[in-house]
């Protein structure tokens, strides 16, 4: 695959590698510390994170299912819920009229979480209107006043926070003077309400601490490993310690945010092993008061859902070896991620290993990233990641006879090796089904997290045994719940997720849920301008409703060139949504636009008996395509009667495609 690859000298977007050191000490010996909070939070970009009512109310919105959410929080042993106000215009009323009083009765505290200007996407055209913290939007002085008032009515509202405080141009609003005005407005009503902002590791500097001290109570720190991953727990202590070193002198406290749902810039989603390890490592900081609390971001309260079928990237079974470089990260010359095993040599004949492998690249710049096999640290096979067909499982046999001559055992290693450092080149090399001839391979299918030693020599390189579980949301829920219960000295009763016996998990299932998806195939080669493929359904409109909404998910694992191919949605021939297939996050399903979610289509359908809904792809100009597949799945309509919304059969949709595009309802068998 040809990506927009920026090959830079070294270490763009990275801070210098630090050596983990002893943890910073507790804030005060013998001083009683407030009990830290243990919170759950939906994820703005996490699949199906909130529990909403199944049917819309009279206003046309599906509101927060408060009783179900409270039950899940109690099962999780959470002492707080971080209530995000961003997704729907009804979030504020759901909080103040329903959730806050119900949480108070259940003994659950609340942190209210708002978005900054960079995440507010207001538009006067309803079908283009996006997410924002309504109703006060980016008037944080008003927010401070109203939240403080609400906290007097419901004292379980303990704090509020603002996301991505310094991202983009947000800092132009959040001056020291403006922060003082916000604080004064809050203190005039309730000076005991706490106020936090979210800062990433590179934001937590003495200059930033000086800017916010005196007005803020503390900082919410999202942990992303060394940078941009949610599978490496080992950098937690150094990141917490360095943050505390900066914040404490300014009188600011620290809250840890742990990604327990997907992270946009991570190549691999967090699993229950990672979540349990991060929470275990955080426990000493909670116990001695160095942390105000912890937030499980993207906590999967929807445990009834399966882990997306798409998230299986192995060849067979459930596991695979992943050697990866994350998104928006750099490496240096000689960086590697590796998995090694000491293998017993048997017999006197030929010796070899055979394995399956795939990577997402082809046809790009050569001489940078290599796939390798080593014996006792000597390279015996290698291939440039650009040489093999992309997203294709290959079978390779490596002759080890000469390398193993005279040995009774040897260390065999799979290694992703950056011969030359890169500035931004995300890659995920998968290895599976390793077998040996004349050597004994243990756990060659990577079905358990054992037998292989995972190593790296640079923190942006990630070796991982990735094991798919269809009930992963429930497993992560249990990892959070067990940690929260253990911290409080309480027993924990695990929950059960779906079994998914009818789901066919395998390399050909690229659906979001279940087995089916709408797939548009773009072959490699020249494509004329205005070439399109589509799937259309005449959808009945429920009459007399105040609001209509359409929600859908889309993915394309092979990133296209920017400005060439566009994913689109049409209603009665009117284009209402268009997204470049060259988007930055090609390795998972996204909900509509990342800033919009469900689309309000009221103005396009109200008063009609039915409308034609059409999903498709089109070129705007003649292009030379590197080849790709665009997928749509999991459609949901509010007051729209959509048939076969999960594409689990071939009914209801009319498919068309101009050559050389192809349109299909692809169902894994």
């Amino acid at each position: 695959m040809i990506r927009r690859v920026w090959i830079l000298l070294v270490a763009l977007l990275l801070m210098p590698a630090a050596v983990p050191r002893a943890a910073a000490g507790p804030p005060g010996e013998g001083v009683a510390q407030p009990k830290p909070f243990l919170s759950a939070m939906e994820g703005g970009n996490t699949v199906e994170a909130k529990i909403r009512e199944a049917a819309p109310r009279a206003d046309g919105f599906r509101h927060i299912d408060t009783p179900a959410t409270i039950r899940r929080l109690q099962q999780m042993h959470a002492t707080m819920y971080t209530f995000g106000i961003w997704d729907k215009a009804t979030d504020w009323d759901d909080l103040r009229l329903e959730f806050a009083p119900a949480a108070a009765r259940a003994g659950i505290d609340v942190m209210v979480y708002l978005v900054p200007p960079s995440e507010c996407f207001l538009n006067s055209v309803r079908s283009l209107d996006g997410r924002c913290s309504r109703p006060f939007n980016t008037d944080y002085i008003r927010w401070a006043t109203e939240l403080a008032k609400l906290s007097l009515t419901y004292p379980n509202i303990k704090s509020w926070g603002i996301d991505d405080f310094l991202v983009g141009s947000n800092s132009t609003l959040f001056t020291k003077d403006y922060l003082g005005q916000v604080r004064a407005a809050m203190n005039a009503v309730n000076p005991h309400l706490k106020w936090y902002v979210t800062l990433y590791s590179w934001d937590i500097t003495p200059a930033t601490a000086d800017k916010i001290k005196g007005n803020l109570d503390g900082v919410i720190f999202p942990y992303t490993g060394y940078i941009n991953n949610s599978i490496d727990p080992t950098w937690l202590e150094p990141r917490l310690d360095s943050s505390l070193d900066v914040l404490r002198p300014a009188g600011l406290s620290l809250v840890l945010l742990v990604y327990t749902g997907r992270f946009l810039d991570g190549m691999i989603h967090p699993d229950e092993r990672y979540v349990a390890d991060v929470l275990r490592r955080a426990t000493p900081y909670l116990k001695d008061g160095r942390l105000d609390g912890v937030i499980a971001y993207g906590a999967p309260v929807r445990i009834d859902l399966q882990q997306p079928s798409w998230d299986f990237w192995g060849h067979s079974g459930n596991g695979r070896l992943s050697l990866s470089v994350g998104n928006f990260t750099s490496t240096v010359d000689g960086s590697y991620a590796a998995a090694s095993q000491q293998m017993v040599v048997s017999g006197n004949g030929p010796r070899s290993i055979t394995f399956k492998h795939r990577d997402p690249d082809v046809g790009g710049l050569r001489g940078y990233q290599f796939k390798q096999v080593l014996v006792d640290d000597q390279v015996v096979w290698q291939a440039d990641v650009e040489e093999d067909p992309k997203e294709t499982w290959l079978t390779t046999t490596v002759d080890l006879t000469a390398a193993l001559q005279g040995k009774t055992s040897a260390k065999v290693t799979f290694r992703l090796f950056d011969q030359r450092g890169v500035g931004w080149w995300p890659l995920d090399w998968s290895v599976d089904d390793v077998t040996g001839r004349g050597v004994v391979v243990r756990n060659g299918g990577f079905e358990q997290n054992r037998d292989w030693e995972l190593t790296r020599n640079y923190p942006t390189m990630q070796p991982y045994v990735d094991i798919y579980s269809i009930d992963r949301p429930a497993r992560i829920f249990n990892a959070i719940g067990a940690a929260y219960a253990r911290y409080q000295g309480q027993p924990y009763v695990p929950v059960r997720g779906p079994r998914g016996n009818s789901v066919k998990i395998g390399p050909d299932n690229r659906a979001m849920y279940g087995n089916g998806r709408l797939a548009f195939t773009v072959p490699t080669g020249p494509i004329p301008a205005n070439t399109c493929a589509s799937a259309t359904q005449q959808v009945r409109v429920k009459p007399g409703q105040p609001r209509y909404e359409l929600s859908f998910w889309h993915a394309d694992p092979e990133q296209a060139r920017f400005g060439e191919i566009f994913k689109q949605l049409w209603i009665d021939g009117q284009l209402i949504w268009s997204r470049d297939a060259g988007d930055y996050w090609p390795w998972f399903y996204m909900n509509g636009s990342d800033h919009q979610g469900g689309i309000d289509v009221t103005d396009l359908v109200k008063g009609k008996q039915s409308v034609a809904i059409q999903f498709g792809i089109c070129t705007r100009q003649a292009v030379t395509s590197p080849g790709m597949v665009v997928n749509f799945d999991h459609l949901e309509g509010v007051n729209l009667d959509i048939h076969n919304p999960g594409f689990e059969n071939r009914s209801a949709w009319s498919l068309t495609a101009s050559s050389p595009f192809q349109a299909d309802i692809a169902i894994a068998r």
Side-chain angles (χ1 to χ4, degrees), residues 78-131:
T79 64
M80 175 180 278
Y81 187 59
T82 302
F83 192 105
I85 297 181
W86 185 53
D87 195 37
K88 302 293 181 187
T90 51
D91 287 346
W92 171 240
D93 280 349
D94 283 352
L95 169 67
R96 68 187 185 91
L97 300 178
E98 299 179 19
F99 189 85
R105 291 190 296 270
I108 295 174
D109 292 333
V110 178
M111 172 191 286
V112 182
Y113 201 72
L114 308 177
V115 299
S118 63
E119 296 176 58
C120 187
F121 303 99
L122 301 174
N123 196 300
S124 59
V125 178
R126 282 212 275 192
S127 62
L128 299 177
D129 197 23
R131 291 165 164 150

Side-chain angles (χ1 to χ4, degrees), residues 1-4 520 522 554-568 577-587 616-620 625-632 661:
M1 164 175 56
I2 301 175
R3 297 179 181 270
R4 288 177 67 223
F520 297 111
V522 181
H554 57 95
D556 44 285
E558 304 100 358
Q559 188 180 29
R561 296 187 183 95
F562 286 86
E564 294 192 346
I565 300 170
F566 291 83
K567 300 173 275 190
Q568 297 179 336
W577 175 83
S578 183
R579 183 182 177 95
D580 197 315
D583 46 20
Y584 285 109
W585 298 286
W587 37 84
I617 59 171
C618 279
T619 58
R620 289 185 180 174
S625 167
M628 63 182 301
V629 179
V630 174
N631 304 290
F632 290 89
F661 283 176

Side-chain angles (χ1 to χ4, degrees), residues 362-385:
V362 70
L365 298 174
R366 299 187 177 214
Y368 286 86
Q369 301 197 72
F370 290 86
K371 302 174 287 187
Q372 296 179 331
V373 174
L374 297 83
V375 173
D376 287 337
D377 299 323
Q378 299 299 310
V379 176
V380 295
W381 171 88
Q382 75 173 13
D384 195 301
V385 298

Side-chain angles (χ1 to χ4, degrees), residues 10 37 60 189 306 324 331 403 426 453 501 568 582 591 629 639 642:
V10 283
F37 61 79
V189 181
Q306 69 161 97
S324 68
T331 66
E453 180 187 7
N501 295 331
Q568 297 179 336
N591 183 205
V629 179
N639 295 319
I642 304 173

